PDB file of all heavy atoms in Angstrom:
ATOM      1  N   ILE A 251     -11.784  -5.988 -24.577  1.00  0.00           N
ATOM      2  CA  ILE A 251     -11.858  -5.105 -23.413  1.00  0.00           C
ATOM      3  C   ILE A 251     -12.558  -5.843 -22.278  1.00  0.00           C
ATOM      4  O   ILE A 251     -13.575  -6.520 -22.500  1.00  0.00           O
ATOM      5  CB  ILE A 251     -12.623  -3.814 -23.759  1.00  0.00           C
ATOM      6  CG1 ILE A 251     -11.858  -3.009 -24.821  1.00  0.00           C
ATOM      7  CG2 ILE A 251     -12.844  -2.957 -22.511  1.00  0.00           C
ATOM      8  CD1 ILE A 251     -12.612  -1.815 -25.338  1.00  0.00           C
ATOM      9  N   HIS A 252     -12.038  -5.716 -21.072  1.00  0.00           N
ATOM     10  CA  HIS A 252     -12.667  -6.366 -19.919  1.00  0.00           C
ATOM     11  C   HIS A 252     -12.831  -5.359 -18.777  1.00  0.00           C
ATOM     12  O   HIS A 252     -12.024  -4.428 -18.626  1.00  0.00           O
ATOM     13  CB  HIS A 252     -11.839  -7.559 -19.446  1.00  0.00           C
ATOM     14  CG  HIS A 252     -11.774  -8.664 -20.451  1.00  0.00           C
ATOM     15  ND1 HIS A 252     -12.875  -9.383 -20.836  1.00  0.00           N
ATOM     16  CD2 HIS A 252     -10.723  -9.158 -21.168  1.00  0.00           C
ATOM     17  CE1 HIS A 252     -12.528 -10.277 -21.737  1.00  0.00           C
ATOM     18  NE2 HIS A 252     -11.222 -10.160 -21.962  1.00  0.00           N
ATOM     19  N   ASP A 253     -13.869  -5.587 -17.993  1.00  0.00           N
ATOM     20  CA  ASP A 253     -14.186  -4.690 -16.878  1.00  0.00           C
ATOM     21  C   ASP A 253     -13.592  -5.209 -15.574  1.00  0.00           C
ATOM     22  O   ASP A 253     -13.541  -6.426 -15.328  1.00  0.00           O
ATOM     23  CB  ASP A 253     -15.703  -4.549 -16.726  1.00  0.00           C
ATOM     24  CG  ASP A 253     -16.332  -3.803 -17.887  1.00  0.00           C
ATOM     25  OD1 ASP A 253     -15.614  -3.003 -18.517  1.00  0.00           O
ATOM     26  OD2 ASP A 253     -17.533  -4.035 -18.162  1.00  0.00           O
ATOM     27  N   THR A 254     -13.189  -4.269 -14.743  1.00  0.00           N
ATOM     28  CA  THR A 254     -12.728  -4.584 -13.392  1.00  0.00           C
ATOM     29  C   THR A 254     -13.396  -3.632 -12.413  1.00  0.00           C
ATOM     30  O   THR A 254     -13.806  -2.527 -12.776  1.00  0.00           O
ATOM     31  CB  THR A 254     -11.199  -4.443 -13.262  1.00  0.00           C
ATOM     32  OG1 THR A 254     -10.840  -3.110 -13.607  1.00  0.00           O
ATOM     33  CG2 THR A 254     -10.477  -5.427 -14.165  1.00  0.00           C
ATOM     34  N   ASP A 255     -13.505  -4.058 -11.169  1.00  0.00           N
ATOM     35  CA  ASP A 255     -14.150  -3.271 -10.124  1.00  0.00           C
ATOM     36  C   ASP A 255     -13.197  -3.095  -8.946  1.00  0.00           C
ATOM     37  O   ASP A 255     -12.435  -4.014  -8.609  1.00  0.00           O
ATOM     38  CB  ASP A 255     -15.425  -3.963  -9.628  1.00  0.00           C
ATOM     39  CG  ASP A 255     -16.494  -4.054 -10.699  1.00  0.00           C
ATOM     40  OD1 ASP A 255     -16.409  -4.974 -11.558  1.00  0.00           O
ATOM     41  OD2 ASP A 255     -17.400  -3.213 -10.696  1.00  0.00           O
ATOM     42  N   ILE A 256     -13.281  -1.933  -8.317  1.00  0.00           N
ATOM     43  CA  ILE A 256     -12.541  -1.669  -7.073  1.00  0.00           C
ATOM     44  C   ILE A 256     -13.505  -1.016  -6.081  1.00  0.00           C
ATOM     45  O   ILE A 256     -14.237  -0.086  -6.449  1.00  0.00           O
ATOM     46  CB  ILE A 256     -11.334  -0.750  -7.310  1.00  0.00           C
ATOM     47  CG1 ILE A 256     -10.330  -1.412  -8.247  1.00  0.00           C
ATOM     48  CG2 ILE A 256     -10.652  -0.400  -5.988  1.00  0.00           C
ATOM     49  CD1 ILE A 256      -9.102  -0.565  -8.534  1.00  0.00           C
ATOM     50  N   TRP A 257     -13.487  -1.486  -4.841  1.00  0.00           N
ATOM     51  CA  TRP A 257     -14.349  -0.918  -3.810  1.00  0.00           C
ATOM     52  C   TRP A 257     -13.664  -1.018  -2.442  1.00  0.00           C
ATOM     53  O   TRP A 257     -12.572  -1.578  -2.315  1.00  0.00           O
ATOM     54  CB  TRP A 257     -15.709  -1.621  -3.791  1.00  0.00           C
ATOM     55  CG  TRP A 257     -15.691  -3.066  -3.350  1.00  0.00           C
ATOM     56  CD1 TRP A 257     -15.941  -3.554  -2.108  1.00  0.00           C
ATOM     57  CD2 TRP A 257     -15.411  -4.204  -4.184  1.00  0.00           C
ATOM     58  NE1 TRP A 257     -15.831  -4.919  -2.102  1.00  0.00           N
ATOM     59  CE2 TRP A 257     -15.517  -5.348  -3.361  1.00  0.00           C
ATOM     60  CE3 TRP A 257     -15.091  -4.372  -5.534  1.00  0.00           C
ATOM     61  CZ2 TRP A 257     -15.298  -6.639  -3.836  1.00  0.00           C
ATOM     62  CZ3 TRP A 257     -14.882  -5.653  -6.013  1.00  0.00           C
ATOM     63  CH2 TRP A 257     -14.979  -6.769  -5.187  1.00  0.00           C
ATOM     64  N   MET A 258     -14.315  -0.469  -1.448  1.00  0.00           N
ATOM     65  CA  MET A 258     -13.737  -0.401  -0.098  1.00  0.00           C
ATOM     66  C   MET A 258     -14.473  -1.320   0.863  1.00  0.00           C
ATOM     67  O   MET A 258     -15.701  -1.442   0.822  1.00  0.00           O
ATOM     68  CB  MET A 258     -13.787   1.042   0.438  1.00  0.00           C
ATOM     69  CG  MET A 258     -13.194   1.218   1.836  1.00  0.00           C
ATOM     70  SD  MET A 258     -13.394   2.910   2.458  1.00  0.00           S
ATOM     71  CE  MET A 258     -12.253   3.787   1.384  1.00  0.00           C
ATOM     72  N   ARG A 259     -13.690  -1.945   1.742  1.00  0.00           N
ATOM     73  CA  ARG A 259     -14.243  -2.654   2.898  1.00  0.00           C
ATOM     74  C   ARG A 259     -13.745  -1.981   4.174  1.00  0.00           C
ATOM     75  O   ARG A 259     -12.597  -1.534   4.232  1.00  0.00           O
ATOM     76  CB  ARG A 259     -13.829  -4.125   2.900  1.00  0.00           C
ATOM     77  CG  ARG A 259     -14.621  -4.999   1.936  1.00  0.00           C
ATOM     78  CD  ARG A 259     -14.233  -6.462   2.030  1.00  0.00           C
ATOM     79  NE  ARG A 259     -15.003  -7.261   1.088  1.00  0.00           N
ATOM     80  CZ  ARG A 259     -14.795  -8.552   0.851  1.00  0.00           C
ATOM     81  NH1 ARG A 259     -13.819  -9.192   1.504  1.00  0.00           N
ATOM     82  NH2 ARG A 259     -15.545  -9.211  -0.014  1.00  0.00           N
ATOM     83  N   LYS A 260     -14.619  -1.933   5.149  1.00  0.00           N
ATOM     84  CA  LYS A 260     -14.276  -1.367   6.462  1.00  0.00           C
ATOM     85  C   LYS A 260     -14.486  -2.440   7.513  1.00  0.00           C
ATOM     86  O   LYS A 260     -15.589  -2.978   7.641  1.00  0.00           O
ATOM     87  CB  LYS A 260     -15.158  -0.140   6.754  1.00  0.00           C
ATOM     88  CG  LYS A 260     -14.970   0.455   8.142  1.00  0.00           C
ATOM     89  CD  LYS A 260     -15.911   1.648   8.318  1.00  0.00           C
ATOM     90  CE  LYS A 260     -15.879   2.194   9.722  1.00  0.00           C
ATOM     91  NZ  LYS A 260     -16.790   3.357   9.901  1.00  0.00           N
ATOM     92  N   ASN A 261     -13.416  -2.787   8.218  1.00  0.00           N
ATOM     93  CA  ASN A 261     -13.463  -3.845   9.235  1.00  0.00           C
ATOM     94  C   ASN A 261     -14.023  -5.144   8.660  1.00  0.00           C
ATOM     95  O   ASN A 261     -14.757  -5.876   9.324  1.00  0.00           O
ATOM     96  CB  ASN A 261     -14.293  -3.401  10.445  1.00  0.00           C
ATOM     97  CG  ASN A 261     -13.751  -2.149  11.096  1.00  0.00           C
ATOM     98  OD1 ASN A 261     -12.540  -1.945  11.149  1.00  0.00           O
ATOM     99  ND2 ASN A 261     -14.637  -1.289  11.579  1.00  0.00           N
ATOM    100  N   GLY A 262     -13.692  -5.429   7.394  1.00  0.00           N
ATOM    101  CA  GLY A 262     -14.086  -6.682   6.765  1.00  0.00           C
ATOM    102  C   GLY A 262     -15.433  -6.668   6.081  1.00  0.00           C
ATOM    103  O   GLY A 262     -15.842  -7.685   5.499  1.00  0.00           O
ATOM    104  N   THR A 263     -16.145  -5.531   6.099  1.00  0.00           N
ATOM    105  CA  THR A 263     -17.486  -5.441   5.512  1.00  0.00           C
ATOM    106  C   THR A 263     -17.478  -4.412   4.389  1.00  0.00           C
ATOM    107  O   THR A 263     -16.915  -3.323   4.536  1.00  0.00           O
ATOM    108  CB  THR A 263     -18.517  -5.029   6.581  1.00  0.00           C
ATOM    109  OG1 THR A 263     -18.504  -6.000   7.636  1.00  0.00           O
ATOM    110  CG2 THR A 263     -19.920  -4.961   5.986  1.00  0.00           C
ATOM    111  N   ASN A 264     -18.130  -4.760   3.268  1.00  0.00           N
ATOM    112  CA  ASN A 264     -18.199  -3.826   2.150  1.00  0.00           C
ATOM    113  C   ASN A 264     -18.834  -2.508   2.572  1.00  0.00           C
ATOM    114  O   ASN A 264     -19.843  -2.496   3.298  1.00  0.00           O
ATOM    115  CB  ASN A 264     -19.018  -4.420   1.011  1.00  0.00           C
ATOM    116  CG  ASN A 264     -18.308  -5.561   0.301  1.00  0.00           C
ATOM    117  OD1 ASN A 264     -17.093  -5.686   0.385  1.00  0.00           O
ATOM    118  ND2 ASN A 264     -19.058  -6.399  -0.395  1.00  0.00           N
ATOM    119  N   VAL A 265     -18.269  -1.393   2.111  1.00  0.00           N
ATOM    120  CA  VAL A 265     -18.834  -0.071   2.370  1.00  0.00           C
ATOM    121  C   VAL A 265     -19.745   0.287   1.194  1.00  0.00           C
ATOM    122  O   VAL A 265     -19.325   0.260   0.034  1.00  0.00           O
ATOM    123  CB  VAL A 265     -17.728   0.992   2.526  1.00  0.00           C
ATOM    124  CG1 VAL A 265     -18.346   2.374   2.750  1.00  0.00           C
ATOM    125  CG2 VAL A 265     -16.797   0.621   3.672  1.00  0.00           C
ATOM    126  N   ALA A 266     -20.992   0.611   1.510  1.00  0.00           N
ATOM    127  CA  ALA A 266     -21.989   0.887   0.469  1.00  0.00           C
ATOM    128  C   ALA A 266     -21.551   2.036  -0.435  1.00  0.00           C
ATOM    129  O   ALA A 266     -20.943   3.011   0.030  1.00  0.00           O
ATOM    130  CB  ALA A 266     -23.336   1.205   1.110  1.00  0.00           C
ATOM    131  N   ASP A 267     -21.868   1.908  -1.709  1.00  0.00           N
ATOM    132  CA  ASP A 267     -21.678   2.976  -2.699  1.00  0.00           C
ATOM    133  C   ASP A 267     -20.219   3.397  -2.867  1.00  0.00           C
ATOM    134  O   ASP A 267     -19.931   4.571  -3.128  1.00  0.00           O
ATOM    135  CB  ASP A 267     -22.535   4.197  -2.334  1.00  0.00           C
ATOM    136  CG  ASP A 267     -24.012   3.859  -2.219  1.00  0.00           C
ATOM    137  OD1 ASP A 267     -24.508   3.069  -3.050  1.00  0.00           O
ATOM    138  OD2 ASP A 267     -24.669   4.372  -1.289  1.00  0.00           O
ATOM    139  N   THR A 268     -19.297   2.463  -2.725  1.00  0.00           N
ATOM    140  CA  THR A 268     -17.878   2.795  -2.913  1.00  0.00           C
ATOM    141  C   THR A 268     -17.273   2.113  -4.135  1.00  0.00           C
ATOM    142  O   THR A 268     -16.079   2.289  -4.405  1.00  0.00           O
ATOM    143  CB  THR A 268     -17.054   2.404  -1.665  1.00  0.00           C
ATOM    144  OG1 THR A 268     -17.170   0.983  -1.450  1.00  0.00           O
ATOM    145  CG2 THR A 268     -17.514   3.173  -0.440  1.00  0.00           C
ATOM    146  N   ASN A 269     -18.053   1.329  -4.873  1.00  0.00           N
ATOM    147  CA  ASN A 269     -17.482   0.608  -6.011  1.00  0.00           C
ATOM    148  C   ASN A 269     -17.293   1.520  -7.223  1.00  0.00           C
ATOM    149  O   ASN A 269     -18.087   2.438  -7.459  1.00  0.00           O
ATOM    150  CB  ASN A 269     -18.387  -0.564  -6.406  1.00  0.00           C
ATOM    151  CG  ASN A 269     -17.752  -1.440  -7.478  1.00  0.00           C
ATOM    152  OD1 ASN A 269     -16.588  -1.781  -7.376  1.00  0.00           O
ATOM    153  ND2 ASN A 269     -18.515  -1.775  -8.504  1.00  0.00           N
ATOM    154  N   SER A 270     -16.223   1.261  -7.982  1.00  0.00           N
ATOM    155  CA  SER A 270     -15.982   1.922  -9.267  1.00  0.00           C
ATOM    156  C   SER A 270     -15.593   0.858 -10.283  1.00  0.00           C
ATOM    157  O   SER A 270     -14.831  -0.067  -9.960  1.00  0.00           O
ATOM    158  CB  SER A 270     -14.868   2.959  -9.159  1.00  0.00           C
ATOM    159  OG  SER A 270     -15.264   4.029  -8.321  1.00  0.00           O
ATOM    160  N   GLN A 271     -16.100   1.000 -11.504  1.00  0.00           N
ATOM    161  CA  GLN A 271     -15.826   0.021 -12.557  1.00  0.00           C
ATOM    162  C   GLN A 271     -14.974   0.655 -13.649  1.00  0.00           C
ATOM    163  O   GLN A 271     -15.231   1.779 -14.081  1.00  0.00           O
ATOM    164  CB  GLN A 271     -17.135  -0.509 -13.149  1.00  0.00           C
ATOM    165  CG  GLN A 271     -16.951  -1.715 -14.045  1.00  0.00           C
ATOM    166  CD  GLN A 271     -18.276  -2.364 -14.403  1.00  0.00           C
ATOM    167  OE1 GLN A 271     -18.949  -1.931 -15.346  1.00  0.00           O
ATOM    168  NE2 GLN A 271     -18.670  -3.383 -13.641  1.00  0.00           N
ATOM    169  N   PHE A 272     -13.958  -0.090 -14.077  1.00  0.00           N
ATOM    170  CA  PHE A 272     -13.019   0.394 -15.093  1.00  0.00           C
ATOM    171  C   PHE A 272     -13.007  -0.594 -16.256  1.00  0.00           C
ATOM    172  O   PHE A 272     -12.914  -1.808 -16.043  1.00  0.00           O
ATOM    173  CB  PHE A 272     -11.603   0.520 -14.521  1.00  0.00           C
ATOM    174  CG  PHE A 272     -11.506   1.428 -13.326  1.00  0.00           C
ATOM    175  CD1 PHE A 272     -11.731   0.939 -12.036  1.00  0.00           C
ATOM    176  CD2 PHE A 272     -11.186   2.765 -13.475  1.00  0.00           C
ATOM    177  CE1 PHE A 272     -11.627   1.769 -10.932  1.00  0.00           C
ATOM    178  CE2 PHE A 272     -11.083   3.604 -12.376  1.00  0.00           C
ATOM    179  CZ  PHE A 272     -11.312   3.109 -11.097  1.00  0.00           C
ATOM    180  N   SER A 273     -13.085  -0.074 -17.458  1.00  0.00           N
ATOM    181  CA  SER A 273     -12.960  -0.903 -18.661  1.00  0.00           C
ATOM    182  C   SER A 273     -11.527  -0.819 -19.147  1.00  0.00           C
ATOM    183  O   SER A 273     -11.053   0.248 -19.571  1.00  0.00           O
ATOM    184  CB  SER A 273     -13.922  -0.413 -19.743  1.00  0.00           C
ATOM    185  OG  SER A 273     -15.266  -0.615 -19.345  1.00  0.00           O
ATOM    186  N   VAL A 274     -10.825  -1.955 -19.098  1.00  0.00           N
ATOM    187  CA  VAL A 274      -9.394  -1.984 -19.420  1.00  0.00           C
ATOM    188  C   VAL A 274      -9.221  -2.269 -20.909  1.00  0.00           C
ATOM    189  O   VAL A 274      -9.761  -3.253 -21.436  1.00  0.00           O
ATOM    190  CB  VAL A 274      -8.669  -3.045 -18.579  1.00  0.00           C
ATOM    191  CG1 VAL A 274      -7.169  -2.999 -18.850  1.00  0.00           C
ATOM    192  CG2 VAL A 274      -8.946  -2.825 -17.091  1.00  0.00           C
ATOM    193  N   PRO A 275      -8.469  -1.426 -21.614  1.00  0.00           N
ATOM    194  CA  PRO A 275      -8.287  -1.618 -23.060  1.00  0.00           C
ATOM    195  C   PRO A 275      -7.714  -2.993 -23.396  1.00  0.00           C
ATOM    196  O   PRO A 275      -6.974  -3.588 -22.608  1.00  0.00           O
ATOM    197  CB  PRO A 275      -7.305  -0.509 -23.449  1.00  0.00           C
ATOM    198  CG  PRO A 275      -7.437   0.515 -22.373  1.00  0.00           C
ATOM    199  CD  PRO A 275      -7.742  -0.238 -21.113  1.00  0.00           C
ATOM    200  N   ASN A 276      -8.067  -3.487 -24.562  1.00  0.00           N
ATOM    201  CA  ASN A 276      -7.598  -4.793 -25.022  1.00  0.00           C
ATOM    202  C   ASN A 276      -6.154  -4.711 -25.532  1.00  0.00           C
ATOM    203  O   ASN A 276      -5.615  -3.627 -25.761  1.00  0.00           O
ATOM    204  CB  ASN A 276      -8.502  -5.322 -26.134  1.00  0.00           C
ATOM    205  CG  ASN A 276      -8.592  -4.351 -27.297  1.00  0.00           C
ATOM    206  OD1 ASN A 276      -9.089  -3.243 -27.143  1.00  0.00           O
ATOM    207  ND2 ASN A 276      -8.095  -4.761 -28.465  1.00  0.00           N
ATOM    208  N   ARG A 277      -5.569  -5.859 -25.722  1.00  0.00           N
ATOM    209  CA  ARG A 277      -4.228  -5.946 -26.305  1.00  0.00           C
ATOM    210  C   ARG A 277      -4.281  -5.470 -27.752  1.00  0.00           C
ATOM    211  O   ARG A 277      -5.181  -5.829 -28.504  1.00  0.00           O
ATOM    212  CB  ARG A 277      -3.737  -7.392 -26.224  1.00  0.00           C
ATOM    213  CG  ARG A 277      -2.333  -7.622 -26.767  1.00  0.00           C
ATOM    214  CD  ARG A 277      -1.961  -9.101 -26.631  1.00  0.00           C
ATOM    215  NE  ARG A 277      -0.659  -9.386 -27.229  1.00  0.00           N
ATOM    216  CZ  ARG A 277       0.513  -9.251 -26.605  1.00  0.00           C
ATOM    217  NH1 ARG A 277       0.524  -8.822 -25.351  1.00  0.00           N
ATOM    218  NH2 ARG A 277       1.654  -9.537 -27.226  1.00  0.00           N
TER     219      ARG A 277
END
Side-chain angles (χ1 to χ4, degrees):
I251 296 173
H252 295 295
D253 292 334
T254 58
D255 295 81
I256 297 180
W257 67 96
M258 181 184 290
R259 282 183 180 173
K260 175 181 174 180
N261 301 325
T263 301
N264 289 340
V265 178
D267 303 320
T268 61
N269 187 46
S270 294
Q271 191 169 84
F272 302 87
S273 294
V274 184
N276 57 296
R277 181 180 176 86

